[in-house]
Amino acid sequence: MVTNTVAIDAMSGDFGPRVIIPSTLQYLQGNPGTRVVFVGKTDAIEPLINRRFAHRVDVVHASEIIGMDEVPSQALRHKKDSSIHVAVDLVKNGLASACLSAGNTGALMGVSKIKLRTIDGVDRPAICGAVPSLESHSYLLDMGANVDCSAEHLLQFAIMASVMARALDGKVSPTVALLNNGEEDTKGNHQVKEASELLAAKECLNYIGFIEGHRIFEAVADIIVCDGFVGNIALKASEGVATYIMDKIRKEIKSDPVTRLLSWFAIPEFRRVSSKVDPRRLNGAVLLGLKGVVVKSHGHADQLAFGYALEYAYRMLSVDIVSQLDQEFQSLV
Amino acid sequence: MVTNTVAIDAMSGDFGPRVIIPSTLQYLQGNPGTRVVFVGKTDAIEPLINRRFAHRVDVVHASEIIGMDEVPSQALRHKKDSSIHVAVDLVKNGLASACLSAGNTGALMGVSKIKLRTIDGVDRPAICGAVPSLESHSYLLDMGANVDCSAEHLLQFAIMASVMARALDGKVSPTVALLNNGEEDTKGNHQVKEASELLAAKECLNYIGFIEGHRIFEAVADIIVCDGFVGNIALKASEGVATYIMDKIRKEIKSDPVTRLLSWFAIPEFRRVSSKVDPRRLNGAVLLGLKGVVVKSHGHADQLAFGYALEYAYRMLSVDIVSQLDQEFQSLV
């Protein structure tokens, strides 16, 4: 296994090679000893690679691209030479140790499940990423892979993320909360109530109970568990309201000569403040539960954001997350 | 029926009478012809009522208060003289035409269902409120009343909100979307996929398909339908991220002398901008589907926000929402 090589789906995301390749090269520059394999259309990729990095970069051709809006099940069957298929194959065949894509999430998950398979004891991999708070972060899963989940699935998500928080952040006993519509025991739908009993009974977990949606960004728990339908909607709603607020503020500032003038003076400072609120720093979510490291970048990721997702992939490799998950689930049998 | 009288649960919300009473009196001052009945502990309410308004205000005593964190089912049974019980009774007995509370949502819904009952054809009332966008708003329901919903329930929610959007905003054929984890037909959990078929087949609805969470605040549909579990979490997550962003911006501004100085000059302008982003203008959600108008204010509502919820109650009365809903559901039988 080549433990420092990440296979990168260069054709993915809203911007493709022209963002992914410079972003990756910048990462390589700052991180000696790392290597990548770009996967995709050779003629689109090779011209963008600076010769300085030639010895740390390989290119593997893939003739097809799965579009962001394609139906995953069909793409899986009919586009077997897609950049996603080929990149995941590199991990499967030991030619890369992780795969990173900003592409179609459903297709990435589908291909990864088929080719890499899930760790024994895990029924379904989940998408797990970090959500910010003022001083820290929490891991939230599932961010959208599994829209219909049983309580048992949520339990497995909690165990997987606990392993991850221990490995990545050195938390001895990371706290786990279930996302719910209230904090009292009586609150919740059937699925969440049942999951709460399972989590409370599991000795390997530090389960602290329910949390409500407004506390997702307060780091009240190291891990927040929900099904993929709810996780997807919670995150996208948050994204939507953040855009709404920033657009509204910009519009109001522009509509008034005094604020327009003040904001002009404050442009460099405003940029600095904005960069601290920047969600790009937390770009990257791992498809947790596979026999291989697969990381998903946001489709809209720019150069900076994509670099963070790549860093996330290397962090997963550095702690050998797959072995740690495997050990945990074998110990529970 | 006294069509201009709203029964107000004066003991409710985080601040109780000291916010609710001045807010209400201010509303009365600006709206001649309106009347209210304050419900709660007489000795807490009466000293706060300015004599000028004495002829437009009644006070009805209720000896108990249902706490925000009390289990609704228990409060329903054991606190029959609560301000919620008494306020809803006034509507039931025709002594008020609407009820407004900032209290325990579950208890308000429970008491209202028992005392007022649901409109024929409606299985479950839903909580419906407006969410902002840059130029407009959408109605979102269910905001949290029904955590386990069938597709048929979601269909009823869509019909109810369509009646409301027609009545309140004069939309001839309001558009309806289902909240989902993707916009393609293949996306969604079982419940949403089934509901999509029901909505598409219903002639009285202008169903436009799925929308994702990040578009909740873009007014892409007049009405956004989801179950109460998802609606609650989407809204609370939005609230959480809004707080996070504003706190983060404040913290970063304070940490730098230049922005601190600029922001000092900009305070009045900043306030003006903030007021435009202010979610308090959309405070107030109606418990739609009851044989009576019951409006819920946010528990954190301050004087300004509570006033908007009161206005919302009067708007519901002005369009006689209950009769309109009743007619619609009878026409569908």
Side-chain angles (χ1 to χ4, degrees):
Chain A
M1 170 93 77
V2 194
T3 58
N4 63 345
T5 301
V6 175
I8 293 179
D9 173 6
M11 311 313 286
S12 63
D14 296 348
F15 312 111
R18 70 190 164 86
V19 158
I20 289 175
I21 291 174
S23 170
T24 303
L25 298 183
Q26 199 174 1
Y27 184 87
L28 290 177
Q29 187 167 20
N31 294 275
T34 52
R35 293 183 54 85
V36 297
V37 186
F38 287 121
V39 180
K41 299 193 174 181
T42 323
D43 55 355
I45 295 171
E46 281 175 345
L48 296 167
I49 300 175
N50 188 310
R51 277 190 200 168
R52 280 199 295 142
F53 297 102
H55 61 293
R56 293 168 65 194
V57 169
D58 282 314
V59 180
V60 172
H61 186 67
S63 63
E64 292 172 305
I65 300 171
I66 298 175
M68 296 300 264
D69 295 329
E70 277 189 63
V71 178
S73 57
Q74 294 192 358
L76 255 64
R77 245 173 284 141
H78 301 298
K79 288 195 170 171
K80 301 225 165 163
D81 198 41
S82 79
S83 51
I84 289 179
H85 281 84
V86 176
V88 174
D89 259 336
L90 290 172
V91 178
K92 184 186 172 188
N93 299 328
L95 298 170
S97 32
C99 165
L100 169 60
S101 174
N104 184 313
T105 311
L108 182 66
M109 180 59 102
V111 170
S112 301
K113 280 204 287 196
I114 292 168
K115 291 187 183 285
L116 302 177
R117 305 206 167 268
T118 51
I119 289 168
D120 295 338
V122 175
D123 290 328
R124 297 182 180 186
I127 302 175
C128 180
V131 290
S133 69
L134 280 188
E135 308 293 345
S136 177
H137 63 265
S138 302
Y139 295 109
L140 189 139
L141 78 173
D142 177 15
M143 287 182 161
N146 307 284
V147 293
D148 290 295
C149 289
S150 68
E152 174 67 31
H153 294 136
L154 298 183
L155 171 64
Q156 291 176 9
F157 298 168
I159 296 169
M160 292 196 290
S162 294
V163 171
M164 189 169 121
R166 277 200 296 272
L168 285 188
D169 302 329
K171 306 257 178 180
V172 179
S173 183
T175 50
V176 179
L178 272 171
L179 190 57
N180 197 4
N181 67 321
E183 300 198 347
E184 308 82 40
D185 286 345
T186 52
K187 290 288 177 104
N189 57 16
H190 291 315
Q191 173 212 49
V192 164
K193 284 180 183 169
E194 203 186 322
S196 182
E197 287 180 18
L198 290 182
L199 267 69
K202 203 78 184 175
E203 278 181 19
C204 67
L205 292 177
N206 184 5
Y207 176 59
I208 60 167
F210 296 135
I211 68 157
E212 291 188 67
H214 61 280
R215 306 195 72 193
I216 292 176
F217 303 92
E218 293 178 9
V220 286
D222 297 314
I223 293 152
I224 303 166
V225 176
C226 59
D227 76 30
F229 188 80
V230 169
N232 176 286
I233 288 173
L235 286 175
K236 292 222 176 120
S238 305
E239 204 180 304
V241 87
T243 306
Y244 164 74
I245 290 170
M246 300 313 271
D247 287 350
K248 187 88 179 173
I249 289 174
R250 259 180 234 116
K251 188 181 157 193
E252 292 301 327
I253 284 174
K254 272 193 195 156
S255 76
D256 179 283
V258 179
T259 46
R260 205 163 56 212
L261 186 69
L262 283 168
S263 71
W264 192 84
F265 279 113
I267 283 170
E269 304 303 328
F270 186 74
R271 286 211 182 116
R272 193 189 57 78
V273 169
S274 299
S275 78
K276 293 290 181 71
V277 189
D278 198 340
R280 294 179 296 180
R281 286 166 181 264
L282 294 174
N283 183 38
V286 61
L287 276 49
L288 211 55
L290 295 165
K291 289 182 180 168
V293 174
V294 180
V295 171
K296 169 72 173 71
S297 159
H298 200 298
H300 300 309
D302 61 8
Q303 252 182 258
L304 180 73
F306 193 83
Y308 280 109
L310 182 53
E311 188 183 336
Y312 197 58
Y314 278 108
R315 289 185 67 206
M316 291 293 157
L317 290 179
S318 72
V319 299
D320 196 1
I321 191 73
V322 175
S323 300
Q324 293 213 35
L325 284 169
D326 193 47
Q327 281 168 28
E328 180 77 9
F329 277 90
Q330 297 335 306
S331 77
L332 293 173
V333 174
Chain B
M1 171 93 77
V2 192
T3 58
N4 63 346
T5 301
V6 175
I8 294 178
D9 172 6
M11 312 313 286
S12 62
D14 296 350
F15 312 111
R18 72 190 162 86
V19 157
I20 288 174
I21 291 173
S23 170
T24 304
L25 298 182
Q26 200 175 357
Y27 184 86
L28 291 177
Q29 187 167 20
N31 295 274
T34 52
R35 294 182 53 85
V36 298
V37 186
F38 287 120
V39 179
K41 297 192 174 177
T42 322
D43 54 354
I45 294 170
E46 281 174 346
L48 295 167
I49 300 175
N50 188 309
R51 276 191 201 164
R52 280 199 294 142
F53 297 101
H55 62 294
R56 294 168 64 193
V57 168
D58 282 315
V59 180
V60 171
H61 187 67
S63 63
E64 291 171 306
I65 300 170
I66 298 175
M68 295 300 263
D69 295 329
E70 278 189 63
V71 177
S73 58
Q74 294 192 0
L76 254 64
R77 244 172 285 141
H78 302 299
K79 286 194 169 172
K80 301 226 163 165
D81 199 40
S82 79
S83 51
I84 288 179
H85 280 85
V86 176
V88 175
D89 259 336
L90 290 172
V91 178
K92 183 186 173 187
N93 299 328
L95 298 169
S97 32
C99 165
L100 169 60
S101 175
N104 184 311
T105 310
L108 182 65
M109 180 58 100
V111 170
S112 301
K113 280 205 286 198
I114 292 168
K115 290 188 185 286
L116 303 177
R117 304 205 168 269
T118 51
I119 288 168
D120 295 337
V122 175
D123 291 329
R124 296 181 180 185
I127 302 175
C128 181
V131 290
S133 68
L134 280 188
E135 308 293 345
S136 178
H137 63 264
S138 302
Y139 295 109
L140 188 140
L141 78 171
D142 176 16
M143 287 183 162
N146 307 286
V147 293
D148 290 294
C149 288
S150 68
E152 173 68 30
H153 293 137
L154 298 184
L155 171 65
Q156 292 176 9
F157 298 168
I159 296 169
M160 292 196 290
S162 295
V163 171
M164 190 169 122
R166 277 201 293 272
L168 285 188
D169 302 329
K171 306 255 179 183
V172 179
S173 183
T175 50
V176 179
L178 272 171
L179 190 57
N180 198 3
N181 68 320
E183 300 198 347
E184 307 83 38
D185 286 348
T186 52
K187 290 288 178 107
N189 57 17
H190 292 314
Q191 173 210 48
V192 165
K193 284 180 183 168
E194 203 185 322
S196 182
E197 288 180 17
L198 290 182
L199 267 70
K202 203 77 184 176
E203 278 181 18
C204 67
L205 293 177
N206 184 6
Y207 175 59
I208 60 167
F210 296 134
I211 66 159
E212 292 189 68
H214 62 280
R215 306 197 70 191
I216 292 176
F217 303 93
E218 293 177 8
V220 285
D222 297 315
I223 293 153
I224 303 166
V225 176
C226 60
D227 76 29
F229 188 80
V230 169
N232 176 287
I233 288 173
L235 286 175
K236 292 220 176 123
S238 304
E239 203 180 304
V241 88
T243 307
Y244 163 73
I245 291 171
M246 298 314 269
D247 287 351
K248 187 88 180 175
I249 289 175
R250 260 179 232 117
K251 189 181 156 193
E252 291 300 328
I253 285 174
K254 272 192 196 158
S255 74
D256 178 284
V258 179
T259 46
R260 205 161 57 212
L261 187 68
L262 284 168
S263 72
W264 190 84
F265 279 112
I267 283 172
E269 304 303 327
F270 186 74
R271 284 212 182 113
R272 192 188 57 79
V273 170
S274 300
S275 78
K276 293 289 181 70
V277 188
D278 198 339
R280 293 179 297 179
R281 286 165 184 265
L282 294 175
N283 183 40
V286 62
L287 277 50
L288 210 56
L290 294 165
K291 288 182 181 166
V293 174
V294 180
V295 172
K296 170 71 172 71
S297 159
H298 201 298
H300 299 310
D302 61 8
Q303 253 181 256
L304 180 72
F306 193 82
Y308 280 109
L310 183 53
E311 189 184 333
Y312 196 58
Y314 278 109
R315 288 186 67 205
M316 291 292 156
L317 290 179
S318 72
V319 299
D320 197 1
I321 191 73
V322 175
S323 300
Q324 294 213 36
L325 285 169
D326 195 45
Q327 281 167 26
E328 180 77 11
F329 278 90
Q330 295 336 303
S331 76
L332 293 172
V333 174

